[in-house]
Amino acid sequence: KLLREMVHYRNGIDETIGFDEKTVMAFEERYDSILEEAREEYEYIPPSKYYREGYNLYRRMAKYRSSHLLFLHDIRVPHNNNMAERLLRAYKRKQHQVMSFRSDASIEYLCQSMSMLLSLRQDPESSVYDSVSKIFDRQKAGRST
């Protein structure tokens, strides 16, 4: 319920005016009170090894508090990570279908290549094929000189 309220507040912000510090602080205090309540409950009744999901959620919320609430401080940060999840889904699908990684370096190369292709795809002025061709042509020219 609190996150829903934060997202509605964030969506209603006028970018020219910015955030109301009192409202943001009130949201942060409510977030902290939820974390404190969870901490007290888990101290009183420790989580069993079979039911750790709530406890793990509490620990992630406490550890990444500033990251979770960053969208309330910076207008450029989206309130969700749908784009990141969509991009990761493409990688995971390929990993299960056809890829075999023998080292972390090969995974890093794949991620850099996918990132580059996505960046090139966002440019409406040129095609991805032409952009990639230009990159390889520059590399060939640089090696021969």
Side-chain angles (χ1 to χ4, degrees), residues 78-139:
H79 65 274
N80 61 21
N81 64 347
N82 289 345
M83 180 60 75
E85 288 178 0
R86 273 188 245 126
L87 298 175
L88 183 61
R89 193 176 307 130
Y91 162 76
K92 292 300 284 182
R93 185 175 54 244
K94 294 289 185 191
Q95 181 185 21
H96 290 296
Q97 290 175 349
V98 295
M99 293 183 194
S100 172
F101 298 109
R102 303 213 182 263
S103 68
D104 289 339
S106 61
I107 294 172
E108 189 173 327
Y109 292 139
L110 173 73
C111 291
Q112 289 173 354
S113 301
M114 290 175 69
S115 174
M116 179 191 67
L117 290 172
L118 287 168
S119 297
L120 294 174
R121 193 181 308 162
Q122 291 178 351
D123 182 16
E125 300 295 320
S126 63
S127 72
V128 175
Y129 178 79
D130 292 337
S131 300
V132 171
S133 297
K134 289 177 186 175
I135 290 171
F136 282 114
D137 290 339
R138 279 186 287 186
Q139 287 182 344

Side-chain angles (χ1 to χ4, degrees), residues 19-34:
F19 297 98
D20 178 31
E21 288 300 319
K22 290 182 181 179
T23 306
V24 171
M25 286 179 60
F27 282 136
E28 288 179 341
E29 287 173 5
R30 288 174 58 194
Y31 187 92
D32 292 337
S33 69
I34 291 170

Side-chain angles (χ1 to χ4, degrees), residues 36-46:
E36 181 61 27
E37 183 178 342
R39 185 188 63 76
E40 290 172 359
E41 287 182 10
Y42 285 116
E43 282 181 358
Y44 182 69
I45 303 173

Side-chain angles (χ1 to χ4, degrees), residues 44-91:
Y44 182 69
I45 303 173
S48 70
K49 66 179 182 179
Y50 298 107
Y51 299 104
R52 294 190 63 87
E53 291 154 4
Y55 179 70
N56 291 339
L57 175 63
Y58 151 69
R59 288 183 56 204
R60 280 193 311 272
M61 287 177 67
K63 183 177 181 179
Y64 300 111
R65 178 190 180 279
S66 61
S67 298
H68 289 172
L69 300 177
L70 184 60
F71 75 97
L72 290 175
H73 297 277
D74 190 349
I75 198 74
R76 298 169 296 172
V77 176
H79 65 274
N80 61 21
N81 64 347
N82 289 345
M83 180 60 75
E85 288 178 0
R86 273 188 245 126
L87 298 175
L88 183 61
R89 193 176 307 130
Y91 162 76

